[in-house]
Amino acid sequence: MKFTVLGSGAGLPSKDRNTQSFVIDCVLEYNEYILIDAGEALQHRILHTHIKPSKIKNIFITHLHGDHIFGLPGFLSSRAFQGGEGIPLTIYGPAGLREWLDLTFKISESTLNYPLEIIEVEADMTIRLNDFTVRVLPLSHGIDSFAYIFKENDKIGELLTDKLLALGLKPGPVYGKIKASETFTVEGKEYQTADFIGETIYGRKIAVHGDTRLNSKEDYLNQLFNADLIVHEATFLKDEKEKAHDYFHSEINQVLNMFSELNYKQLLFVHISSRYTDEDIREVSAALNDKAAIAFDYFELPIPRNVQ
Amino acid sequence: MKFTVLGSGAGLPSKDRNTQSFVIDCVLEYNEYILIDAGEALQHRILHTHIKPSKIKNIFITHLHGDHIFGLPGFLSSRAFQGGEGIPLTIYGPAGLREWLDLTFKISESTLNYPLEIIEVEADMTIRLNDFTVRVLPLSHGIDSFAYIFKENDKIGELLTDKLLALGLKPGPVYGKIKASETFTVEGKEYQTADFIGETIYGRKIAVHGDTRLNSKEDYLNQLFNADLIVHEATFLKDEKEKAHDYFHSEINQVLNMFSELNYKQLLFVHISSRYTDEDIREVSAALNDKAAIAFDYFELPIPRNVQ
């Protein structure tokens, strides 16, 4: 699994940074991509990657500001011609999204050749996908804006084949049967399956934020506990806390401080304003600890399997 | 004056060809650009040119298919932050455009900091800009689609200064006065100003088509007579006349034949399907006559001043 950044910029795209779009790439695990936000030219960015639009089956929109949604109509229209025919797609996002997409497709006389479901989300909803449970947290951006916390389902541990071989059980269909039942019997003796199963493989947790002011409520931070990856905006990279507050955005040091007591593995800063030069980015990056990084477009961050 | 191609492709953008957008660059003459169509990522394309969004003061939309309008919301939003504050902009396009932009700005909570006027056009309208008269012609595309014929206003010829000097009149404010009146008097003798004015400078004519089937009505062709530049779609480059007809598009040889009896200076083919390879394009281009060319992105075609 990896996290791919298709647009790491803020409201105004620059030559280097597009407006916001990310992909949770779980093709190896689940044969699909989860798309988060759809800045304009998302479909153009995808042309330069290995991502197949038809394998994007779920899209999450954090909020309805233009730099997060203006790439949606084009992506949805083109997906139909890029292998997506007949392959369902679900979009989760704030209220207003359905009305806008409906009118967009009506006036442009677009017809999609695949089923599209639009689910308007609310704070504190829980969404169940096939392989993830997604928690919707409210943020503070002057417009409905959400963080989505993607928690991969936990998986039962592997069969301890060495222990089974020691009982004289050779690999075959019997292994599957054992894993599916609570107990099994060999030569008249009953065994607990749990004693022959390795440790639970805990699902990964990826928290992706929409634009927001600093938000340090305790119940919010609890939701992020033990995250494998936190993706947070840092529209302001310098000491501009008041400006960040006024514009409903965050400043990078505020975010680092907010998470300083939190247990997490990686922190990725996105939504970087186009006002900053490469030199600014280098300077700020150099001061970050090992767990934190500033994203750039086409950045790919592996999210290793979580064996605890 | 020149014609700049920002997107020469058809419905699906490719790495090389974006969806449709053009600019009539008359910065040298009138300090403005006229934008025609706004495919997605128009604002990204502009970042790689010298074009200043604030100097785009008029936009013409040929039709409402997504590949011609999905770049409009992003361009309009960003223009505000790219020097456009307070500088009015007018958009001309088919009915439905205003409703869509209104809802788009409402749900994305965008506010523009410049006056935006949207004028919905109809077939056979005449639009007067400061320096051009624009004629709106109906096309055949299964949705309202228009060609815009931009006719630069004719200009009175230059003062023939040699002839004035021969009368003993030296350059100065008197030259302006002469040009502004029908007659003038030197040493008691009256002269006709017209005898001291060079030939009229005829305005340039640029005809830009929306997507369309072949259209060979006589009154339509009459409108294109003597065009300095005709921009026409050629979604199909090979011998695919029936397919072109079925999909409400044109095939390149059809268009060449349609214009074979027409007097014009240059013909530019656009809206090239992404299915064609560079090799295909080279092959078709090689067979064109000197007056015709297939556009590519960032193509710039000079439109010389028209002295007849």
Side-chain angles (χ1 to χ4, degrees):
Chain A
M1 197 179 295
K2 61 187 176 183
F3 188 82
T4 303
V5 176
L6 294 176
S8 62
L12 274 185
S14 69
K15 284 183 193 171
D16 297 325
R17 292 185 188 274
N18 197 21
T19 48
Q20 185 157 309
S21 296
F22 313 125
V23 161
I24 298 175
D25 178 340
C26 39
V27 161
L28 286 181
E29 294 86 351
Y30 309 118
N31 199 29
E32 73 162 306
Y33 303 94
I34 297 170
L35 177 69
I36 300 132
D37 283 347
E40 184 182 352
L42 158 65
Q43 64 166 326
H44 300 72
R45 277 292 191 268
I46 287 178
L47 289 174
H48 296 270
T49 70
H50 57 282
I51 296 169
K52 289 192 170 55
S54 61
K55 290 192 177 177
I56 294 178
K57 294 168 192 168
N58 292 286
I59 300 177
F60 289 80
I61 300 294
T62 62
H63 64 295
L64 299 186
H65 279 160
D67 54 323
H68 299 254
I69 62 166
F70 286 166
L72 204 44
F75 170 80
L76 296 176
S77 306
S78 295
R79 181 180 183 270
F81 300 95
Q82 293 166 325
E85 186 171 351
I87 302 176
L89 176 66
T90 306
I91 308 178
Y92 301 88
L97 192 57
R98 184 185 293 111
E99 183 190 3
W100 179 61
L101 286 176
D102 283 351
L103 182 65
T104 300
F105 290 137
K106 185 183 145 215
I107 68 121
S108 61
E109 297 192 8
S110 311
T111 45
L112 302 182
N113 57 13
Y114 55 84
L116 175 67
E117 189 175 11
I118 299 166
I119 297 179
E120 295 186 341
V121 302
E122 290 175 2
D124 304 314
M125 258 177 87
T126 298
I127 298 162
R128 290 186 198 287
L129 307 183
N130 280 340
D131 307 296
F132 290 86
T133 301
V134 189
R135 185 95 180 128
V136 184
L137 301 187
L139 298 171
S140 170
H141 191 48
I143 186 175
D144 278 351
S145 182
F146 300 107
Y148 293 107
I149 304 190
F150 299 86
K151 174 69 175 61
E152 187 186 14
N153 297 335
D154 295 340
K155 284 185 192 54
I156 188 169
E158 305 280 335
L159 267 187
L160 300 174
T161 50
D162 285 356
K163 285 182 79 173
L164 291 171
L165 285 168
L167 292 184
L169 289 173
K170 291 189 181 155
V174 66
Y175 276 27
K177 281 183 197 156
I178 289 173
K179 203 168 179 181
S181 58
E182 288 192 13
T183 60
F184 63 95
T185 306
V186 181
E187 292 175 4
K189 189 173 172 194
E190 190 178 81
Y191 296 90
Q192 298 293 314
T193 301
D195 296 334
F196 293 81
I197 297 281
E199 287 188 75
T200 299
I201 300 164
Y202 291 98
R204 285 158 272 205
K205 188 195 270 191
I206 304 160
V208 185
H209 292 72
D211 295 4
T212 187
R213 264 183 192 166
L214 206 64
N215 175 0
S216 53
K217 290 178 194 152
E218 197 179 326
D219 54 346
Y220 154 75
L221 288 173
N222 285 343
Q223 298 278 349
L224 300 186
F225 179 75
N226 247 348
D228 293 82
L229 173 62
I230 298 175
V231 180
H232 200 286
E233 70 133 297
T235 309
F236 294 91
L237 291 181
K238 305 264 177 161
D239 192 21
E240 294 159 307
K241 291 183 183 63
E242 281 180 29
K243 216 167 170 183
H245 184 84
D246 290 350
Y247 288 96
F248 289 95
H249 282 297
S250 299
E251 188 258 359
I252 191 163
N253 286 310
Q254 286 183 314
V255 183
L256 283 165
N257 288 338
M258 169 170 70
F259 293 146
S260 62
E261 303 290 313
L262 183 75
N263 191 42
Y264 64 90
K265 293 219 181 81
Q266 300 184 91
L267 173 58
L268 187 64
F269 291 109
V270 296
H271 206 265
I272 310 303
S273 167
S274 59
R275 90 191 60 183
Y276 297 113
T277 63
D278 287 352
E279 184 57 36
D280 292 330
I281 306 280
R282 269 193 296 274
E283 192 184 300
V284 178
S285 291
L288 294 176
N289 64 40
D290 283 353
K291 297 200 298 184
I294 297 176
F296 49 86
D297 285 25
Y298 302 114
F299 187 97
E300 293 197 336
L301 189 69
I303 309 171
R305 206 175 182 195
N306 201 347
V307 186
Q308 288 174 317
Chain B
M1 196 177 295
K2 62 187 176 182
F3 188 82
T4 302
V5 176
L6 295 175
S8 62
L12 274 184
S14 70
K15 284 184 193 171
D16 298 325
R17 292 185 188 273
N18 196 21
T19 48
Q20 186 157 309
S21 296
F22 313 125
V23 161
I24 297 175
D25 178 340
C26 38
V27 162
L28 287 181
E29 293 85 351
Y30 309 117
N31 199 28
E32 72 163 307
Y33 303 94
I34 297 170
L35 177 68
I36 301 132
D37 282 347
E40 183 182 352
L42 157 66
Q43 64 167 325
H44 300 71
R45 277 292 191 268
I46 287 179
L47 289 173
H48 295 270
T49 70
H50 57 280
I51 296 169
K52 290 192 169 55
S54 61
K55 291 192 176 176
I56 294 177
K57 295 168 191 166
N58 292 286
I59 301 178
F60 290 81
I61 300 294
T62 61
H63 64 296
L64 299 185
H65 279 159
D67 54 323
H68 299 254
I69 62 166
F70 286 166
L72 204 44
F75 170 80
L76 296 175
S77 307
S78 295
R79 180 180 183 272
F81 300 96
Q82 293 166 326
E85 186 171 351
I87 302 177
L89 177 64
T90 306
I91 308 178
Y92 301 88
L97 192 58
R98 185 185 293 111
E99 183 190 5
W100 179 61
L101 286 176
D102 283 352
L103 181 66
T104 300
F105 290 137
K106 185 182 144 215
I107 69 121
S108 61
E109 296 192 8
S110 311
T111 46
L112 302 183
N113 56 13
Y114 56 85
L116 175 67
E117 189 176 9
I118 299 166
I119 297 178
E120 294 186 341
V121 303
E122 289 175 3
D124 304 315
M125 259 177 86
T126 298
I127 298 162
R128 288 184 200 288
L129 307 182
N130 281 339
D131 306 296
F132 289 87
T133 301
V134 189
R135 185 93 180 132
V136 184
L137 302 187
L139 299 172
S140 170
H141 191 47
I143 186 175
D144 277 351
S145 183
F146 300 108
Y148 294 107
I149 304 190
F150 299 85
K151 174 68 176 60
E152 187 186 13
N153 297 335
D154 294 341
K155 284 185 192 56
I156 188 170
E158 305 281 335
L159 268 188
L160 301 174
T161 50
D162 285 356
K163 286 182 77 172
L164 291 170
L165 284 168
L167 292 183
L169 289 171
K170 291 188 181 152
V174 67
Y175 277 27
K177 282 183 195 155
I178 290 174
K179 203 167 179 181
S181 57
E182 288 191 14
T183 60
F184 63 97
T185 306
V186 181
E187 293 176 3
K189 190 177 171 192
E190 188 178 84
Y191 297 89
Q192 297 293 316
T193 301
D195 295 335
F196 294 79
I197 297 280
E199 287 187 78
T200 300
I201 300 164
Y202 291 98
R204 285 158 272 202
K205 188 196 270 191
I206 304 160
V208 185
H209 292 72
D211 295 3
T212 187
R213 265 183 192 166
L214 206 65
N215 174 0
S216 53
K217 290 179 194 151
E218 196 178 325
D219 54 346
Y220 154 76
L221 287 174
N222 285 342
Q223 298 278 350
L224 301 185
F225 179 75
N226 247 347
D228 293 83
L229 173 62
I230 298 174
V231 181
H232 200 287
E233 70 132 296
T235 309
F236 294 91
L237 292 181
K238 306 263 175 159
D239 192 20
E240 294 158 308
K241 292 181 183 62
E242 280 180 28
K243 216 166 170 184
H245 184 83
D246 290 350
Y247 288 96
F248 289 94
H249 282 297
S250 298
E251 190 256 0
I252 192 164
N253 285 311
Q254 286 184 313
V255 182
L256 283 165
N257 288 339
M258 169 170 71
F259 293 145
S260 62
E261 304 289 313
L262 184 75
N263 191 43
Y264 64 90
K265 293 219 182 80
Q266 300 184 91
L267 173 58
L268 187 63
F269 290 109
V270 296
H271 205 266
I272 310 302
S273 167
S274 59
R275 90 191 61 182
Y276 298 113
T277 63
D278 287 352
E279 185 56 38
D280 292 331
I281 306 280
R282 268 193 297 273
E283 192 185 300
V284 178
S285 291
L288 294 176
N289 63 42
D290 283 353
K291 297 200 297 183
I294 296 175
F296 49 85
D297 284 25
Y298 302 115
F299 187 98
E300 293 196 334
L301 189 69
I303 308 171
R305 205 175 182 195
N306 201 347
V307 185
Q308 289 174 317

